[in-house]
Amino acid sequence: MDKKKPVQLRPYIKTRYVYQKLRVCKHCHNFTILWEDSCAFCKRHSLVHVMELAEKKAKRSMQSDRLLFYIIGLSAVLLSQTFLQIVISFACMVVLLVWLWLIQRRVLQTETLHALDKLIRSHQKQILDGLDLNKATAAAAIKEDAQLGYEIVREISSLVRNDRIRLQQIVLLQTFSLRKDMELELEPLLLNEFDPDLAAYIGEIAKIKRELINSKAIRYLLDHEADILRMEQGRQIMIDATGAAVRKKKYIDTFPDFISRYADGLPRYRFLRLYQIVRRNPGLSWNGLRDRVSAIYNEQYRSDPDFQKWD
Ligand SMILES: [Zn+2]
């Protein structure tokens, strides 16, 4: 097995709307999801965030609304016959303009999102072309620097969700030595098909970030259990996932057979966790899991003082 590389991943910045991360070149309208300084297509330093551009567009259309009000108001002033009419028309114009300005200020964010939506819809082809260019950058980076390659693929995956991108992320993640303090994810990476790298990744996550093992991850393991058990570390992966699953009663309720199959391989402190839940719920048999836990307890932990507390 290759030696895994220690890495310090750049933090991943989550945005409220996925498209917020896109930047567009003001010169050639090339889109990018990456953090380069200049446009990869025309090489100019003219990249702006799409949100910025959308806000500018929203403000411009608001400005023309105000201009229209202004022209109407001014015409009323010019057409006035007496001084009183001039004063009234002018006052009305000022009040209406202030009112409009207040409304516009309040709806700026909504209007910006509308403008963003329009911008995205009318530039779909350019966005896809831009992402293709980003993918080519990723492919080149992966050969040189796996960490940078992973970071690029991770950015692309916020917009492009398919198994190819997921697989690329998993394969790259498996070349790093993973740590608890890393920003890791599991559910977005789950594939439909069996993949040994993904199975191995789930096994590692079960050890370092137990909280990421959820029903979907467990279902993936169960759907591909036979394939996983054919892997060299396959049984250990299933045991580690079981150890993560017993942290919550709801997983025991949903997957009692799975937990029953691997309970005898659990390390002591994970088995203790399972034992505690079983003892706390005397009315539940979980399709034989209760008996299985009792049998393991009798074989291995009968004289263990930590277990006695629960007797
Ligand atoms: Zn450009």
Side-chain angles (χ1 to χ4, degrees):
M1 202 175 162
D2 291 328
K3 207 174 171 307
K4 296 195 176 205
K5 234 176 68 177
V7 290
Q8 196 70 49
L9 294 175
R10 235 182 283 219
Y12 178 72
I13 298 153
K14 281 202 181 85
T15 52
R16 186 158 167 208
Y17 307 98
V18 283
Y19 288 104
Q20 249 169 297
K21 281 201 173 180
L22 272 181
R23 286 185 305 157
V24 56
C25 172
K26 281 192 290 187
H27 181 71
C28 71
H29 292 116
N30 169 48
F31 284 77
T32 179
I33 192 87
L34 305 182
W35 48 82
E36 66 265 54
D37 292 327
S38 56
C39 170
F41 200 74
C42 72
K43 312 288 176 214
R44 286 173 208 241
H45 289 265
S46 46
L47 290 168
V48 287
H49 277 279
V50 283
M51 211 59 176
E52 220 174 288
L53 192 68
E55 193 183 275
K56 215 184 253 176
K57 278 180 193 276
K59 277 186 175 160
R60 205 176 299 150
S61 98
M62 286 177 172
Q63 226 167 25
S64 33
D65 289 347
R66 281 204 301 272
L67 192 67
L68 190 68
F69 259 62
Y70 191 67
I71 291 169
I72 294 171
L74 218 54
S75 321
V77 172
L78 289 173
L79 293 172
S80 301
Q81 307 278 325
T82 64
F83 181 69
L84 187 66
Q85 279 179 354
I86 292 177
V87 171
I88 293 172
S89 309
F90 190 75
C92 283
M93 181 182 81
V94 171
V95 169
L96 282 173
L97 272 173
V98 169
W99 175 71
L100 182 67
W101 179 75
L102 285 174
I103 290 184
Q104 286 184 335
R105 209 175 53 163
R106 213 191 299 163
V107 298
L108 178 63
Q109 218 213 337
T110 333
E111 287 303 309
T112 302
L113 288 176
H114 270 303
L116 177 67
D117 194 52
K118 235 164 99 180
L119 184 81
I120 301 291
R121 272 172 211 275
S122 56
H123 289 86
Q124 281 190 356
K125 183 166 177 341
Q126 287 98 321
I127 293 173
L128 289 176
D129 288 346
L131 286 171
D132 277 343
L133 206 58
N134 289 162
K135 281 188 227 163
T137 312
I142 286 166
K143 284 189 204 115
E144 300 280 315
D145 177 348
Q147 180 182 343
L148 179 64
Y150 169 73
E151 287 165 356
I152 295 176
V153 175
R154 187 178 59 178
E155 289 300 334
I156 298 172
S157 74
S158 65
L159 273 182
V160 184
R161 295 205 177 89
N162 63 41
D163 278 4
R164 236 184 78 110
I165 293 277
R166 288 188 193 104
L167 202 58
Q168 227 166 9
Q169 271 182 284
I170 296 160
V171 169
L172 286 166
L173 276 169
Q174 279 304 95
T175 66
F176 307 146
S177 82
L178 304 176
R179 292 184 320 271
K180 205 183 172 55
D181 62 298
M182 278 181 176
E183 261 181 80
L184 298 169
E185 50 182 11
L186 177 57
E187 198 178 315
L189 295 178
L190 290 174
L191 311 164
N192 288 319
E193 302 298 311
F194 166 68
D195 178 79
D197 280 313
L198 175 57
Y201 178 67
I202 297 177
E204 278 196 62
I205 289 289
K207 281 183 286 184
I208 60 169
K209 269 199 183 228
R210 222 177 273 152
E211 67 277 12
L212 292 184
I213 302 293
N214 60 12
S215 298
K216 282 193 179 151
I218 298 172
R219 274 208 186 93
Y220 178 84
L221 295 178
L222 290 177
D223 286 347
H224 305 287
E225 194 172 3
D227 287 313
I228 293 170
L229 290 176
R230 272 194 286 274
M231 291 167 61
E232 199 185 329
Q233 295 293 317
R235 189 175 147 75
Q236 194 54 49
I237 291 172
M238 300 304 278
I239 291 171
D240 290 334
T242 306
V246 298
R247 78 188 187 282
K248 280 194 179 166
K249 178 175 171 286
K250 75 168 182 187
Y251 298 129
I252 301 179
D253 291 337
T254 321
F255 307 103
D257 297 342
F258 158 64
I259 290 166
S260 206
R261 279 201 291 287
Y262 300 99
D264 62 342
L266 287 177
R268 179 181 168 281
Y269 77 110
R270 295 321 291 160
F271 183 75
L272 179 61
R273 169 85 199 145
L274 173 62
Y275 183 77
Q276 286 166 350
I277 296 178
V278 169
R279 294 291 294 191
R280 259 186 236 138
N281 296 276
L284 296 169
S285 76
W286 288 292
N287 199 24
L289 172 65
R290 173 169 224 95
D291 296 338
R292 182 86 189 103
V293 169
S294 293
I296 297 168
Y297 164 76
N298 281 326
E299 272 169 42
Q300 301 179 34
Y301 301 104
R302 194 176 253 295
S303 51
D304 190 318
D306 284 339
F307 284 79
Q308 305 312 319
K309 280 184 233 158
W310 294 89
D311 281 344

